[in-house]
Amino acid sequence: QLQASGGGLVPPGGSLRLSCAASGFRSGFGLNYYAIVWFRQASGEEREGVSCIKGTDGSRFYADSVKGRFTISRDIVRTTVYLEMHDLKAEDTGVYYCAAVDPYAWNVKRLWNISRGMEYWGKGTQVTVSS
């Protein structure tokens, strides 16, 4: 129900746009309801929350490490969430996953970056920042 794409190899300072196509939620609701969260996982490290967009009101949240460089957005008609990434650094390297959670079942505002709260996961897309 979630499919991430758009990863690749970019040099430091480069840009990428990731896409998360969402469909088939059990409730029948879509991106105007669910919160969609981007996580990433570097080799040998724990999965960390990168950014979130809350479906009900469009609120956006970012990890401190990506503020000012990453932008999350959504296209409800295309049922897709995007993550625009600029000024990429080596430490941004990892597998990027998108996940979804019911905002009335999980305190998204406080806990958006906690992976165990997510209901749906997509397969990841690899982002490698290297010269």
Side-chain angles (χ1 to χ4, degrees), residues 30-53:
L31 294 186
N32 55 355
Y33 179 81
Y34 283 89
I36 304 297
V37 186
W38 283 100
F39 289 86
R40 67 186 179 191
Q41 188 167 21
S43 180
E45 297 188 15
E46 293 187 356
R47 197 169 292 187
E48 64 168 339
V50 175
S51 184
C52 168
I53 186 163

Side-chain angles (χ1 to χ4, degrees), residues 31 33-40 48-64 66-67 70-74 81-83 97-103 106-114 118:
L31 294 186
Y33 179 81
Y34 283 89
I36 304 297
V37 186
W38 283 100
F39 289 86
R40 67 186 179 191
E48 64 168 339
V50 175
S51 184
C52 168
I53 186 163
K54 193 176 173 187
T56 51
D57 61 10
S59 299
R60 305 176 190 193
F61 308 94
Y62 296 95
D64 288 343
V66 306
K67 282 181 181 176
F70 290 13
T71 301
I72 192 169
S73 63
R74 63 180 175 176
V81 172
Y82 302 100
L83 186 68
Y97 302 88
C98 55
V101 63
D102 183 329
W106 189 252
N107 189 328
V108 172
K109 185 176 181 179
R110 288 199 305 116
L111 304 174
W112 65 268
N113 58 345
I114 306 300
M118 302 299 112

